[in-house]
């Protein structure tokens, strides 16, 4: 148990037997009336985001979440297989929990997997990853005032928009939160 004064970003709460992760919180002390804490919570499994307000000092139940460094091994049907870096245990995680992270995962890549009571909750990617462009059309130079973009398929099979000058085989950096092109890797 913790109080609302102990809230911090990333903390996982157990509210009504459901797990919610704190995305944002703000302590508010109005001029009139009691203080309260305004939070933005994300449901760990479904990804739904809600706003919830707690009275200051209210006790909230925290969930025990274990984050482990794991290596992505391979894709098996609708599941993904990961291996714990410390004890070499293999864990199978369904594609519904992996979600959009699958667009940026390469075999043998190191990731963090969150567990609650031995059950996998989510796969966490770094903020950016380096991937190679496997297919893109040649860029055509034309009469334009701003730089254009074109679709490019990455080695994972995911398609993003990249500048016209990039060619197949180019290694690029991609933002895993937005899917945006960040730059070439030298």
């Amino acid at each position: 148990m913790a109080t609302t004064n102990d809230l911090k970003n990333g903390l996982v709460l157990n509210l009504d037997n459901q797990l919610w992760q704190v995305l944002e919180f703000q302590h508010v002390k109005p001029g009139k009336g009691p203080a309260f804490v305004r939070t933005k919570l994300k449901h760990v499994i479904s990804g739904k985001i809600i706003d919830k307000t707690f009275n200051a000092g209210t006790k909230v139940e925290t969930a025990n979440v274990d984050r482990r460094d794991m290596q992505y091994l391979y894709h098996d049907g609708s599941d993904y297989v990961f291996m714990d870096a410390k004890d070499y245990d293999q864990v199978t995680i369904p594609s519904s929990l992996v979600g959009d992270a699958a667009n940026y995962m390469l075999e043998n890549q190191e990731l963090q997997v969150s567990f609650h009571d031995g059950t996998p909750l989510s796969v966490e990617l770094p903020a950016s990853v380096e991937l190679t462009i496997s297919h893109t059309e040649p860029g055509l130079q034309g009469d334009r005032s701003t730089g254009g973009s074109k679709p490019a398929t990455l080695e994972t099979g995911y398609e993003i928009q990249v500048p016209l000058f990039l060619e197949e085989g180019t290694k690029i950096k991609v933002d895993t939160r937005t899917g945006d092109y960040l730059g070439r890797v030298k």
Side-chain angles (χ1 to χ4, degrees), residues 2 6-13 20-22 60 62-63 67:
D6 301 325
L7 290 181
K8 59 184 176 196
N9 291 344
L11 184 69
V12 179
L13 305 176
W20 297 87
Q21 182 176 22
V22 177
V60 289
T62 58
R67 287 185 172 84

Side-chain angles (χ1 to χ4, degrees), residues 20-140:
W20 297 87
Q21 182 176 22
V22 177
L23 297 179
E24 297 175 13
F25 69 97
Q26 179 182 19
H27 291 275
V28 179
K29 176 69 175 109
K32 187 175 184 180
F36 60 92
V37 179
R38 186 178 295 135
T39 62
K40 186 174 278 191
L41 304 173
K42 177 182 175 186
H43 194 271
V44 172
I45 295 171
S46 70
K48 179 181 175 183
I49 296 176
I50 63 168
D51 294 320
K52 187 161 178 70
T53 304
F54 298 96
N55 290 331
T58 303
K59 291 196 181 290
V60 289
E61 186 179 346
T62 58
N64 185 14
V65 175
D66 178 28
R67 287 185 172 84
R68 294 188 220 161
D69 291 328
M70 302 196 84
Q71 183 179 26
Y72 167 57
L73 295 179
Y74 58 92
H75 180 77
D76 181 28
S78 63
D79 297 331
Y80 294 85
V81 180
F82 294 83
M83 179 179 66
D84 193 320
K86 291 182 181 144
D87 58 13
Y88 305 110
D89 282 345
Q90 290 188 9
V91 177
T92 302
I93 300 177
S95 57
S96 60
L97 285 181
V98 174
D100 291 339
N103 297 331
Y104 309 104
M105 293 185 335
L106 289 174
E107 291 182 359
N108 302 321
Q109 182 179 10
E110 295 287 330
L111 306 164
Q112 273 199 335
V113 180
S114 297
F115 290 88
H116 173 66
D117 293 338
T119 305
L121 296 177
S122 64
V123 175
E124 298 169 26
L125 291 168
S128 65
V129 292
E130 296 177 0
L131 297 169
T132 304
I133 296 174
S134 63
H135 176 74
T136 187
E137 298 294 325
L140 298 174

